[in-house]
Amino acid sequence: MKRTISFVLNGEKVEVEVEPHWSLLYLLRERFDLTGAKEGCGMGECGACTVIVDGKTVNSCIFPAMEVDGGEVLTIEGLTEMAEGGLHPIQRAFIEHGAIQCGFCTPGMVLSAKALLDENPHPTEEDIRKGIEGNICRCTGYLQIIRAIKAAAEGGKDGRAD
Amino acid sequence: MIRFDYLKPSTLEEALSLLYEHGEGAMLIAGGTDVMVEIKQRKIAPKALISLRGVKELEYIEPHNGGVRIGSMTTHRTLESSSLIKEKFPALADAVQNLGSVQIRNVATIGGNICNAAPSADTAPPLLVLGAEVRIRGPRGERVIPLEEFFVGPGQTVLNRGEILVEFIIPPAPAYTGSAYWKHTRRQAMDLPILGVALSLSLNKGEASNLRKLLAESATMEEILFSLEESGLVCQQARIALGVAAPTPMRAKKAEGVLKGAKLTGRKLDEAGRVASQEAQPRDTLRGAAWYRREMIQVLSKRLAIKCLERIFLGEKR
Ligand SMILES: Cc1cc2nc3c(=O)[nH]c(=O)nc-3n(C[C@H](O)[C@H](O)[C@H](O)COP(=O)(O)OP(=O)(O)OC[C@H]3O[C@@H](n4cnc5c(N)ncnc54)[C@H](O)[C@@H]3O)c2cc1C
């Protein structure tokens, strides 16, 4: 029952055979070795599997792989590849502001931040909190993450969110 | 993972005939945020999923004779960003902006929320107070029914095999109408409601200067209700709808009857809240006890009435 689908993955056109029941997360991790997106809860709650499809964040663990046919997918690996000098400004801000501890939520968190800033380049703290409501972090307590996103929005200047 | 085939029609006609051909084992998938989770939890095991995502003709928010028509494949995110919905149908805007997370709202649809028919479906109470009808297409043609006749039980609707929900039709609201929805939760994000209450109020006039002033100043409930007593406002139409208060989302019609045609006072609002909580059939569940839900129906109905007044007198931005 295999199907062939093609889509743009991190800026590159790809064609791949998939089983119709695969999730996008499975496809990314097992066929493309893109292991930045993680399986946390596997039910769309925690956001560790967040990737960007056609400009919008989705939970790839419950997103059918078949739905990216003809579309565009951006993962954390793509964000890094496309950034000048190795890391995207959001990633740098996360490091500078101590917004990472174990790192499990980070790829999803960074992509949610990117989608937020693409849509709303000058978010309020409330906008930021709302923008990452679908990403759970067990380590940082979120404040550092909010600060990092605020700083990234302000172009890397020290932006304390509180 | 359970195996299934995945079919991607690009028109409604094609979707209908695929659904017909594949018969019993086939299931529709919209955003998949209920379907995929239920498959993973092994609650369902469809042989084929028929995806509506490519059926672009089902995705629209269209002004219609002062009301609006919303295609079933419209995502919560799209509804959340619609100024038409925010300005004219704020109860629905209240619901979609607090449903799931950004990731969920980006893919989950209003059609999926209603067809999944959870007692907690956040868009159901607002659509009920907005007087929505649903258009359904099936192999034998089309029918339009009021949304209140759509739900049969938890997860059960009047949809027959082979039928697709096409759109929601919301009629124009009378003058001086305000609507609001409150999702009562333990935490402010990513939680299903303990209780959902939606209300819409239509008044005989939009003028009551003292009341307006107090509302603008966010005065205390006592002050507002006192001024309401003197304002001579009469309720022309009231709709109250409840989520997680019965096996299906429900209208509290007896409570609506208390308000309709009555002079609006604090006592009337109390009475309506009390009647609504008697009409409801809440259960004890993990999220909340039945007595608590009954209690909160009264509290929230009154608060929402004030919210509706704010929206009538101060504009929809409130
Ligand atoms: C993490 C998470 C958080 C959530 N939070 C909330 C919340 O806060 N509030 C809430 O109400 N819900 C919530 N949900 C549930 C879910 O996201 C919503 O019910 C959503 O609107 C379902 O839409 P969908 O497009 O994903 O539906 P799908 O999962 O694709 O479909 C749901 C059901 O409807 C049927 N269906 C879909 N479209 C049609 C159609 N046009 N005609 C006929 N049948 C159709 C499908 O066959 C299926 O039975 C949450 C889910 C998750 C995973």
Side-chain angles (χ1 to χ4, degrees), chain A residues 43-45, chain B residues 27-35 52 72 76 99-100 104 108-109 112-113 115-116 120-122 159 164-165 183 190-192:
Chain A
M43 301 286 171
E45 303 267 353
Chain B
M27 182 169 198
L28 292 168
I29 179 169
T33 59
D34 282 314
V35 169
L52 295 176
S72 58
H76 301 302
L99 193 156
I104 294 291
T109 63
N113 193 227
C115 292
N116 198 56
S120 59
D122 271 314
L159 285 180
I164 296 179
L165 194 160
K183 171 179 184 167
M190 286 295 273
D191 205 357
L192 294 176

PDB file of all heavy atoms in Angstrom, chain A residues 43-45, chain B residues 27-35 52 72 76 99-100 104 108-109 112-113 115-116 120-122 159 164-165 183 190-192, ligand 1:
ATOM      1  N   MET A  43       0.422  12.540  21.752  1.00  0.00           N
ATOM      2  CA  MET A  43      -1.023  12.817  21.671  1.00  0.00           C
ATOM      3  C   MET A  43      -1.317  14.289  21.385  1.00  0.00           C
ATOM      4  O   MET A  43      -2.436  14.746  21.605  1.00  0.00           O
ATOM      5  CB  MET A  43      -1.710  12.453  22.994  1.00  0.00           C
ATOM      6  CG  MET A  43      -1.565  11.010  23.404  1.00  0.00           C
ATOM      7  SD  MET A  43      -2.615   9.932  22.407  1.00  0.00           S
ATOM      8  CE  MET A  43      -2.005   8.329  22.948  1.00  0.00           C
ATOM      9  N   GLY A  44      -0.341  15.039  20.966  1.00  0.00           N
ATOM     10  CA  GLY A  44      -0.593  16.436  20.613  1.00  0.00           C
ATOM     11  C   GLY A  44      -0.639  17.398  21.784  1.00  0.00           C
ATOM     12  O   GLY A  44      -1.009  18.561  21.621  1.00  0.00           O
ATOM     13  N   GLU A  45      -0.272  16.928  22.959  1.00  0.00           N
ATOM     14  CA  GLU A  45      -0.378  17.787  24.143  1.00  0.00           C
ATOM     15  C   GLU A  45       0.907  18.566  24.432  1.00  0.00           C
ATOM     16  O   GLU A  45       0.856  19.709  24.868  1.00  0.00           O
ATOM     17  CB  GLU A  45      -0.685  16.944  25.391  1.00  0.00           C
ATOM     18  CG  GLU A  45      -1.946  16.105  25.310  1.00  0.00           C
ATOM     19  CD  GLU A  45      -3.169  16.820  25.874  1.00  0.00           C
ATOM     20  OE1 GLU A  45      -3.012  17.916  26.435  1.00  0.00           O
ATOM     21  OE2 GLU A  45      -4.279  16.271  25.726  1.00  0.00           O
TER      22      GLU A  45
ATOM     23  N   MET B  27     -13.617   6.365   7.248  1.00  0.00           N
ATOM     24  CA  MET B  27     -13.913   7.435   8.186  1.00  0.00           C
ATOM     25  C   MET B  27     -13.353   8.739   7.629  1.00  0.00           C
ATOM     26  O   MET B  27     -12.277   8.744   7.026  1.00  0.00           O
ATOM     27  CB  MET B  27     -13.224   7.097   9.499  1.00  0.00           C
ATOM     28  CG  MET B  27     -13.485   8.093  10.569  1.00  0.00           C
ATOM     29  SD  MET B  27     -12.911   7.443  12.147  1.00  0.00           S
ATOM     30  CE  MET B  27     -13.822   8.523  13.210  1.00  0.00           C
ATOM     31  N   LEU B  28     -14.068   9.820   7.877  1.00  0.00           N
ATOM     32  CA  LEU B  28     -13.560  11.122   7.441  1.00  0.00           C
ATOM     33  C   LEU B  28     -12.502  11.605   8.410  1.00  0.00           C
ATOM     34  O   LEU B  28     -12.568  11.356   9.609  1.00  0.00           O
ATOM     35  CB  LEU B  28     -14.696  12.150   7.400  1.00  0.00           C
ATOM     36  CG  LEU B  28     -15.771  11.934   6.342  1.00  0.00           C
ATOM     37  CD1 LEU B  28     -16.955  12.858   6.619  1.00  0.00           C
ATOM     38  CD2 LEU B  28     -15.203  12.205   4.946  1.00  0.00           C
ATOM     39  N   ILE B  29     -11.509  12.306   7.877  1.00  0.00           N
ATOM     40  CA  ILE B  29     -10.549  12.998   8.733  1.00  0.00           C
ATOM     41  C   ILE B  29     -10.444  14.441   8.256  1.00  0.00           C
ATOM     42  O   ILE B  29     -10.326  14.706   7.048  1.00  0.00           O
ATOM     43  CB  ILE B  29      -9.164  12.300   8.763  1.00  0.00           C
ATOM     44  CG1 ILE B  29      -8.188  13.066   9.659  1.00  0.00           C
ATOM     45  CG2 ILE B  29      -8.598  12.092   7.360  1.00  0.00           C
ATOM     46  CD1 ILE B  29      -6.898  12.312   9.967  1.00  0.00           C
ATOM     47  N   ALA B  30     -10.552  15.374   9.215  1.00  0.00           N
ATOM     48  CA  ALA B  30     -10.416  16.801   8.878  1.00  0.00           C
ATOM     49  C   ALA B  30      -9.015  17.200   9.354  1.00  0.00           C
ATOM     50  O   ALA B  30      -8.029  16.857   8.720  1.00  0.00           O
ATOM     51  CB  ALA B  30     -11.526  17.586   9.539  1.00  0.00           C
ATOM     52  N   GLY B  31      -8.907  17.874  10.494  1.00  0.00           N
ATOM     53  CA  GLY B  31      -7.574  18.186  11.027  1.00  0.00           C
ATOM     54  C   GLY B  31      -6.924  16.973  11.688  1.00  0.00           C
ATOM     55  O   GLY B  31      -5.719  16.943  11.913  1.00  0.00           O
ATOM     56  N   GLY B  32      -7.732  16.007  12.043  1.00  0.00           N
ATOM     57  CA  GLY B  32      -7.213  14.768  12.618  1.00  0.00           C
ATOM     58  C   GLY B  32      -6.841  14.839  14.093  1.00  0.00           C
ATOM     59  O   GLY B  32      -6.322  13.875  14.641  1.00  0.00           O
ATOM     60  N   THR B  33      -7.116  15.942  14.760  1.00  0.00           N
ATOM     61  CA  THR B  33      -6.669  16.081  16.155  1.00  0.00           C
ATOM     62  C   THR B  33      -7.509  15.232  17.110  1.00  0.00           C
ATOM     63  O   THR B  33      -7.076  14.949  18.221  1.00  0.00           O
ATOM     64  CB  THR B  33      -6.681  17.547  16.625  1.00  0.00           C
ATOM     65  OG1 THR B  33      -8.006  18.066  16.511  1.00  0.00           O
ATOM     66  CG2 THR B  33      -5.729  18.389  15.820  1.00  0.00           C
ATOM     67  N   ASP B  34      -8.685  14.833  16.695  1.00  0.00           N
ATOM     68  CA  ASP B  34      -9.425  13.811  17.444  1.00  0.00           C
ATOM     69  C   ASP B  34      -9.174  12.429  16.836  1.00  0.00           C
ATOM     70  O   ASP B  34      -8.852  11.488  17.544  1.00  0.00           O
ATOM     71  CB  ASP B  34     -10.941  14.104  17.431  1.00  0.00           C
ATOM     72  CG  ASP B  34     -11.322  15.210  18.415  1.00  0.00           C
ATOM     73  OD1 ASP B  34     -10.844  15.170  19.554  1.00  0.00           O
ATOM     74  OD2 ASP B  34     -12.091  16.103  18.036  1.00  0.00           O
ATOM     75  N   VAL B  35      -9.285  12.341  15.512  1.00  0.00           N
ATOM     76  CA  VAL B  35      -9.164  11.042  14.843  1.00  0.00           C
ATOM     77  C   VAL B  35      -7.808  10.385  15.126  1.00  0.00           C
ATOM     78  O   VAL B  35      -7.748   9.226  15.528  1.00  0.00           O
ATOM     79  CB  VAL B  35      -9.362  11.192  13.319  1.00  0.00           C
ATOM     80  CG1 VAL B  35      -8.982   9.908  12.591  1.00  0.00           C
ATOM     81  CG2 VAL B  35     -10.806  11.566  12.995  1.00  0.00           C
ATOM     82  N   LEU B  52     -10.420  15.417   4.250  1.00  0.00           N
ATOM     83  CA  LEU B  52     -11.122  16.568   3.670  1.00  0.00           C
ATOM     84  C   LEU B  52     -10.201  17.767   3.499  1.00  0.00           C
ATOM     85  O   LEU B  52     -10.607  18.823   3.044  1.00  0.00           O
ATOM     86  CB  LEU B  52     -12.313  16.951   4.561  1.00  0.00           C
ATOM     87  CG  LEU B  52     -13.437  15.903   4.660  1.00  0.00           C
ATOM     88  CD1 LEU B  52     -14.501  16.367   5.650  1.00  0.00           C
ATOM     89  CD2 LEU B  52     -14.076  15.674   3.276  1.00  0.00           C
ATOM     90  N   SER B  72     -17.121  23.872   6.897  1.00  0.00           N
ATOM     91  CA  SER B  72     -16.773  22.951   7.987  1.00  0.00           C
ATOM     92  C   SER B  72     -15.270  22.764   8.136  1.00  0.00           C
ATOM     93  O   SER B  72     -14.792  22.430   9.213  1.00  0.00           O
ATOM     94  CB  SER B  72     -17.450  21.597   7.768  1.00  0.00           C
ATOM     95  OG  SER B  72     -17.065  21.057   6.514  1.00  0.00           O
ATOM     96  N   HIS B  76      -9.772  26.524  13.563  1.00  0.00           N
ATOM     97  CA  HIS B  76      -9.989  27.433  14.688  1.00  0.00           C
ATOM     98  C   HIS B  76      -9.077  28.646  14.581  1.00  0.00           C
ATOM     99  O   HIS B  76      -9.446  29.751  14.967  1.00  0.00           O
ATOM    100  CB  HIS B  76      -9.741  26.703  16.007  1.00  0.00           C
ATOM    101  CG  HIS B  76     -10.631  25.507  16.180  1.00  0.00           C
ATOM    102  ND1 HIS B  76     -12.005  25.599  16.163  1.00  0.00           N
ATOM    103  CD2 HIS B  76     -10.358  24.187  16.346  1.00  0.00           C
ATOM    104  CE1 HIS B  76     -12.536  24.387  16.326  1.00  0.00           C
ATOM    105  NE2 HIS B  76     -11.551  23.517  16.435  1.00  0.00           N
ATOM    106  N   LEU B  99      -9.060  27.321  22.454  1.00  0.00           N
ATOM    107  CA  LEU B  99      -9.207  25.890  22.192  1.00  0.00           C
ATOM    108  C   LEU B  99      -7.825  25.298  21.910  1.00  0.00           C
ATOM    109  O   LEU B  99      -7.123  25.736  21.010  1.00  0.00           O
ATOM    110  CB  LEU B  99     -10.141  25.713  21.000  1.00  0.00           C
ATOM    111  CG  LEU B  99     -10.694  24.329  20.707  1.00  0.00           C
ATOM    112  CD1 LEU B  99     -11.996  24.413  19.935  1.00  0.00           C
ATOM    113  CD2 LEU B  99      -9.708  23.449  19.992  1.00  0.00           C
ATOM    114  N   GLY B 100      -7.427  24.292  22.700  1.00  0.00           N
ATOM    115  CA  GLY B 100      -6.140  23.629  22.476  1.00  0.00           C
ATOM    116  C   GLY B 100      -4.986  24.612  22.515  1.00  0.00           C
ATOM    117  O   GLY B 100      -4.973  25.541  23.303  1.00  0.00           O
ATOM    118  N   ILE B 104      -2.656  22.996  17.706  1.00  0.00           N
ATOM    119  CA  ILE B 104      -3.960  22.346  17.518  1.00  0.00           C
ATOM    120  C   ILE B 104      -4.852  23.250  16.668  1.00  0.00           C
ATOM    121  O   ILE B 104      -5.446  22.811  15.677  1.00  0.00           O
ATOM    122  CB  ILE B 104      -4.633  22.048  18.889  1.00  0.00           C
ATOM    123  CG1 ILE B 104      -3.833  21.005  19.683  1.00  0.00           C
ATOM    124  CG2 ILE B 104      -6.091  21.616  18.711  1.00  0.00           C
ATOM    125  CD1 ILE B 104      -3.843  19.607  19.127  1.00  0.00           C
ATOM    126  N   ALA B 108      -6.917  21.922  13.580  1.00  0.00           N
ATOM    127  CA  ALA B 108      -8.244  21.442  13.976  1.00  0.00           C
ATOM    128  C   ALA B 108      -9.330  22.339  13.386  1.00  0.00           C
ATOM    129  O   ALA B 108      -9.182  23.558  13.322  1.00  0.00           O
ATOM    130  CB  ALA B 108      -8.364  21.404  15.496  1.00  0.00           C
ATOM    131  N   THR B 109     -10.435  21.719  12.990  1.00  0.00           N
ATOM    132  CA  THR B 109     -11.494  22.461  12.301  1.00  0.00           C
ATOM    133  C   THR B 109     -12.761  22.559  13.151  1.00  0.00           C
ATOM    134  O   THR B 109     -12.980  21.767  14.076  1.00  0.00           O
ATOM    135  CB  THR B 109     -11.874  21.743  10.990  1.00  0.00           C
ATOM    136  OG1 THR B 109     -12.397  20.443  11.310  1.00  0.00           O
ATOM    137  CG2 THR B 109     -10.663  21.589  10.079  1.00  0.00           C
ATOM    138  N   GLY B 112     -14.860  19.401  12.533  1.00  0.00           N
ATOM    139  CA  GLY B 112     -14.383  18.261  13.319  1.00  0.00           C
ATOM    140  C   GLY B 112     -14.795  18.372  14.773  1.00  0.00           C
ATOM    141  O   GLY B 112     -15.173  17.388  15.407  1.00  0.00           O
ATOM    142  N   ASN B 113     -14.736  19.585  15.313  1.00  0.00           N
ATOM    143  CA  ASN B 113     -15.113  19.801  16.709  1.00  0.00           C
ATOM    144  C   ASN B 113     -16.580  19.423  16.931  1.00  0.00           C
ATOM    145  O   ASN B 113     -16.926  18.754  17.910  1.00  0.00           O
ATOM    146  CB  ASN B 113     -14.864  21.273  17.080  1.00  0.00           C
ATOM    147  CG  ASN B 113     -14.926  21.540  18.577  1.00  0.00           C
ATOM    148  OD1 ASN B 113     -15.565  22.486  19.005  1.00  0.00           O
ATOM    149  ND2 ASN B 113     -14.270  20.735  19.390  1.00  0.00           N
ATOM    150  N   CYS B 115     -18.581  17.534  14.758  1.00  0.00           N
ATOM    151  CA  CYS B 115     -18.893  16.144  14.395  1.00  0.00           C
ATOM    152  C   CYS B 115     -18.345  15.157  15.414  1.00  0.00           C
ATOM    153  O   CYS B 115     -18.873  14.068  15.577  1.00  0.00           O
ATOM    154  CB  CYS B 115     -18.355  15.824  13.002  1.00  0.00           C
ATOM    155  SG  CYS B 115     -19.227  16.728  11.723  1.00  0.00           S
ATOM    156  N   ASN B 116     -17.271  15.520  16.097  1.00  0.00           N
ATOM    157  CA  ASN B 116     -16.741  14.643  17.138  1.00  0.00           C
ATOM    158  C   ASN B 116     -17.715  14.569  18.321  1.00  0.00           C
ATOM    159  O   ASN B 116     -17.725  13.606  19.072  1.00  0.00           O
ATOM    160  CB  ASN B 116     -15.374  15.149  17.590  1.00  0.00           C
ATOM    161  CG  ASN B 116     -14.594  14.089  18.322  1.00  0.00           C
ATOM    162  OD1 ASN B 116     -14.379  13.008  17.783  1.00  0.00           O
ATOM    163  ND2 ASN B 116     -14.215  14.362  19.548  1.00  0.00           N
ATOM    164  N   SER B 120     -17.821  18.309  25.750  1.00  0.00           N
ATOM    165  CA  SER B 120     -16.983  19.459  26.065  1.00  0.00           C
ATOM    166  C   SER B 120     -16.597  20.287  24.841  1.00  0.00           C
ATOM    167  O   SER B 120     -15.827  21.236  24.975  1.00  0.00           O
ATOM    168  CB  SER B 120     -15.696  18.964  26.735  1.00  0.00           C
ATOM    169  OG  SER B 120     -15.030  18.079  25.851  1.00  0.00           O
ATOM    170  N   ALA B 121     -17.087  19.959  23.663  1.00  0.00           N
ATOM    171  CA  ALA B 121     -16.679  20.668  22.439  1.00  0.00           C
ATOM    172  C   ALA B 121     -16.861  22.176  22.629  1.00  0.00           C
ATOM    173  O   ALA B 121     -17.979  22.656  22.828  1.00  0.00           O
ATOM    174  CB  ALA B 121     -17.488  20.176  21.252  1.00  0.00           C
ATOM    175  N   ASP B 122     -15.756  22.893  22.550  1.00  0.00           N
ATOM    176  CA  ASP B 122     -15.802  24.315  22.884  1.00  0.00           C
ATOM    177  C   ASP B 122     -16.612  25.173  21.921  1.00  0.00           C
ATOM    178  O   ASP B 122     -17.129  26.219  22.311  1.00  0.00           O
ATOM    179  CB  ASP B 122     -14.377  24.882  22.957  1.00  0.00           C
ATOM    180  CG  ASP B 122     -13.781  24.758  24.346  1.00  0.00           C
ATOM    181  OD1 ASP B 122     -14.481  25.085  25.319  1.00  0.00           O
ATOM    182  OD2 ASP B 122     -12.620  24.334  24.459  1.00  0.00           O
ATOM    183  N   LEU B 159     -25.660  12.411  11.915  1.00  0.00           N
ATOM    184  CA  LEU B 159     -25.059  12.104  10.614  1.00  0.00           C
ATOM    185  C   LEU B 159     -25.211  10.614  10.305  1.00  0.00           C
ATOM    186  O   LEU B 159     -24.870   9.766  11.122  1.00  0.00           O
ATOM    187  CB  LEU B 159     -23.567  12.445  10.608  1.00  0.00           C
ATOM    188  CG  LEU B 159     -23.151  13.910  10.524  1.00  0.00           C
ATOM    189  CD1 LEU B 159     -21.629  14.012  10.524  1.00  0.00           C
ATOM    190  CD2 LEU B 159     -23.726  14.571   9.277  1.00  0.00           C
ATOM    191  N   ILE B 164     -21.637  14.184   4.986  1.00  0.00           N
ATOM    192  CA  ILE B 164     -20.575  15.133   5.322  1.00  0.00           C
ATOM    193  C   ILE B 164     -21.205  16.450   5.776  1.00  0.00           C
ATOM    194  O   ILE B 164     -22.141  16.944   5.136  1.00  0.00           O
ATOM    195  CB  ILE B 164     -19.647  15.378   4.100  1.00  0.00           C
ATOM    196  CG1 ILE B 164     -18.919  14.069   3.726  1.00  0.00           C
ATOM    197  CG2 ILE B 164     -18.645  16.498   4.364  1.00  0.00           C
ATOM    198  CD1 ILE B 164     -18.003  14.192   2.520  1.00  0.00           C
ATOM    199  N   LEU B 165     -20.696  16.994   6.866  1.00  0.00           N
ATOM    200  CA  LEU B 165     -21.155  18.314   7.301  1.00  0.00           C
ATOM    201  C   LEU B 165     -20.467  19.350   6.407  1.00  0.00           C
ATOM    202  O   LEU B 165     -19.237  19.378   6.328  1.00  0.00           O
ATOM    203  CB  LEU B 165     -20.812  18.539   8.773  1.00  0.00           C
ATOM    204  CG  LEU B 165     -21.495  19.704   9.481  1.00  0.00           C
ATOM    205  CD1 LEU B 165     -21.430  19.496  10.976  1.00  0.00           C
ATOM    206  CD2 LEU B 165     -20.891  21.034   9.141  1.00  0.00           C
ATOM    207  N   LYS B 183     -15.166  29.442  29.098  1.00  0.00           N
ATOM    208  CA  LYS B 183     -14.675  28.081  29.275  1.00  0.00           C
ATOM    209  C   LYS B 183     -14.098  28.006  30.668  1.00  0.00           C
ATOM    210  O   LYS B 183     -13.100  28.675  30.961  1.00  0.00           O
ATOM    211  CB  LYS B 183     -13.608  27.835  28.215  1.00  0.00           C
ATOM    212  CG  LYS B 183     -12.825  26.563  28.349  1.00  0.00           C
ATOM    213  CD  LYS B 183     -11.833  26.476  27.185  1.00  0.00           C
ATOM    214  CE  LYS B 183     -11.075  25.185  27.211  1.00  0.00           C
ATOM    215  NZ  LYS B 183     -10.367  24.951  25.949  1.00  0.00           N
ATOM    216  N   MET B 190      -4.567  24.903  27.282  1.00  0.00           N
ATOM    217  CA  MET B 190      -4.480  23.473  27.027  1.00  0.00           C
ATOM    218  C   MET B 190      -5.264  22.649  28.031  1.00  0.00           C
ATOM    219  O   MET B 190      -4.748  21.721  28.636  1.00  0.00           O
ATOM    220  CB  MET B 190      -3.013  23.027  27.066  1.00  0.00           C
ATOM    221  CG  MET B 190      -2.234  23.446  25.873  1.00  0.00           C
ATOM    222  SD  MET B 190      -2.835  22.653  24.393  1.00  0.00           S
ATOM    223  CE  MET B 190      -1.898  21.133  24.450  1.00  0.00           C
ATOM    224  N   ASP B 191      -6.490  23.013  28.252  1.00  0.00           N
ATOM    225  CA  ASP B 191      -7.304  22.233  29.161  1.00  0.00           C
ATOM    226  C   ASP B 191      -8.716  22.161  28.571  1.00  0.00           C
ATOM    227  O   ASP B 191      -9.157  23.091  27.910  1.00  0.00           O
ATOM    228  CB  ASP B 191      -7.339  22.930  30.535  1.00  0.00           C
ATOM    229  CG  ASP B 191      -7.632  21.948  31.662  1.00  0.00           C
ATOM    230  OD1 ASP B 191      -7.861  20.755  31.373  1.00  0.00           O
ATOM    231  OD2 ASP B 191      -7.629  22.380  32.815  1.00  0.00           O
ATOM    232  N   LEU B 192      -9.377  21.040  28.816  1.00  0.00           N
ATOM    233  CA  LEU B 192     -10.770  20.946  28.408  1.00  0.00           C
ATOM    234  C   LEU B 192     -11.618  21.590  29.500  1.00  0.00           C
ATOM    235  O   LEU B 192     -11.229  21.621  30.661  1.00  0.00           O
ATOM    236  CB  LEU B 192     -11.166  19.488  28.201  1.00  0.00           C
ATOM    237  CG  LEU B 192     -10.459  18.795  27.027  1.00  0.00           C
ATOM    238  CD1 LEU B 192     -10.854  17.326  26.966  1.00  0.00           C
ATOM    239  CD2 LEU B 192     -10.776  19.473  25.705  1.00  0.00           C
TER     240      LEU B 192
HETATM  241  C1  LIG C   1      -3.929  18.407  22.630  1.00  0.00           C
HETATM  242  C2  LIG C   1      -5.367  18.597  22.282  1.00  0.00           C
HETATM  243  C3  LIG C   1      -6.095  19.626  22.865  1.00  0.00           C
HETATM  244  C4  LIG C   1      -7.433  19.808  22.565  1.00  0.00           C
HETATM  245  N1  LIG C   1      -8.105  20.835  23.157  1.00  0.00           N
HETATM  246  C5  LIG C   1      -9.418  21.003  22.891  1.00  0.00           C
HETATM  247  C6  LIG C   1     -10.149  22.055  23.511  1.00  0.00           C
HETATM  248  O1  LIG C   1      -9.602  22.847  24.282  1.00  0.00           O
HETATM  249  N2  LIG C   1     -11.478  22.174  23.235  1.00  0.00           N
HETATM  250  C7  LIG C   1     -12.110  21.333  22.372  1.00  0.00           C
HETATM  251  O2  LIG C   1     -13.302  21.494  22.150  1.00  0.00           O
HETATM  252  N3  LIG C   1     -11.430  20.331  21.754  1.00  0.00           N
HETATM  253  C8  LIG C   1     -10.118  20.149  21.997  1.00  0.00           C
HETATM  254  N4  LIG C   1      -9.437  19.121  21.393  1.00  0.00           N
HETATM  255  C9  LIG C   1     -10.147  18.210  20.500  1.00  0.00           C
HETATM  256  C10 LIG C   1     -10.029  18.540  18.997  1.00  0.00           C
HETATM  257  O3  LIG C   1      -8.859  19.265  18.718  1.00  0.00           O
HETATM  258  C11 LIG C   1     -11.220  19.345  18.479  1.00  0.00           C
HETATM  259  O4  LIG C   1     -12.400  18.635  18.717  1.00  0.00           O
HETATM  260  C12 LIG C   1     -11.080  19.666  16.982  1.00  0.00           C
HETATM  261  O5  LIG C   1     -11.885  20.749  16.644  1.00  0.00           O
HETATM  262  C13 LIG C   1     -11.408  18.500  16.092  1.00  0.00           C
HETATM  263  O6  LIG C   1     -11.280  18.939  14.747  1.00  0.00           O
HETATM  264  P1  LIG C   1     -10.451  18.134  13.657  1.00  0.00           P
HETATM  265  O7  LIG C   1     -10.553  18.895  12.402  1.00  0.00           O
HETATM  266  O8  LIG C   1      -9.091  17.833  14.145  1.00  0.00           O
HETATM  267  O9  LIG C   1     -11.335  16.807  13.607  1.00  0.00           O
HETATM  268  P2  LIG C   1     -10.965  15.303  13.195  1.00  0.00           P
HETATM  269  O10 LIG C   1     -10.183  14.663  14.265  1.00  0.00           O
HETATM  270  O11 LIG C   1     -10.392  15.258  11.824  1.00  0.00           O
HETATM  271  O12 LIG C   1     -12.431  14.705  13.155  1.00  0.00           O
HETATM  272  C14 LIG C   1     -13.232  14.579  14.300  1.00  0.00           C
HETATM  273  C15 LIG C   1     -14.492  13.770  13.981  1.00  0.00           C
HETATM  274  O13 LIG C   1     -15.356  14.471  13.128  1.00  0.00           O
HETATM  275  C16 LIG C   1     -15.567  13.775  11.907  1.00  0.00           C
HETATM  276  N5  LIG C   1     -15.592  14.817  10.876  1.00  0.00           N
HETATM  277  C17 LIG C   1     -14.671  15.794  10.702  1.00  0.00           C
HETATM  278  N6  LIG C   1     -15.075  16.656   9.756  1.00  0.00           N
HETATM  279  C18 LIG C   1     -16.274  16.218   9.322  1.00  0.00           C
HETATM  280  C19 LIG C   1     -17.221  16.689   8.348  1.00  0.00           C
HETATM  281  N7  LIG C   1     -17.007  17.835   7.645  1.00  0.00           N
HETATM  282  N8  LIG C   1     -18.376  16.005   8.155  1.00  0.00           N
HETATM  283  C20 LIG C   1     -18.620  14.868   8.885  1.00  0.00           C
HETATM  284  N9  LIG C   1     -17.776  14.378   9.812  1.00  0.00           N
HETATM  285  C21 LIG C   1     -16.613  15.038  10.025  1.00  0.00           C
HETATM  286  C22 LIG C   1     -14.440  12.775  11.809  1.00  0.00           C
HETATM  287  O14 LIG C   1     -14.809  11.638  11.056  1.00  0.00           O
HETATM  288  C23 LIG C   1     -14.230  12.454  13.266  1.00  0.00           C
HETATM  289  O15 LIG C   1     -15.184  11.524  13.702  1.00  0.00           O
HETATM  290  C24 LIG C   1      -8.074  18.932  21.664  1.00  0.00           C
HETATM  291  C25 LIG C   1      -7.338  17.906  21.058  1.00  0.00           C
HETATM  292  C26 LIG C   1      -6.006  17.727  21.357  1.00  0.00           C
HETATM  293  C27 LIG C   1      -5.237  16.618  20.691  1.00  0.00           C
END
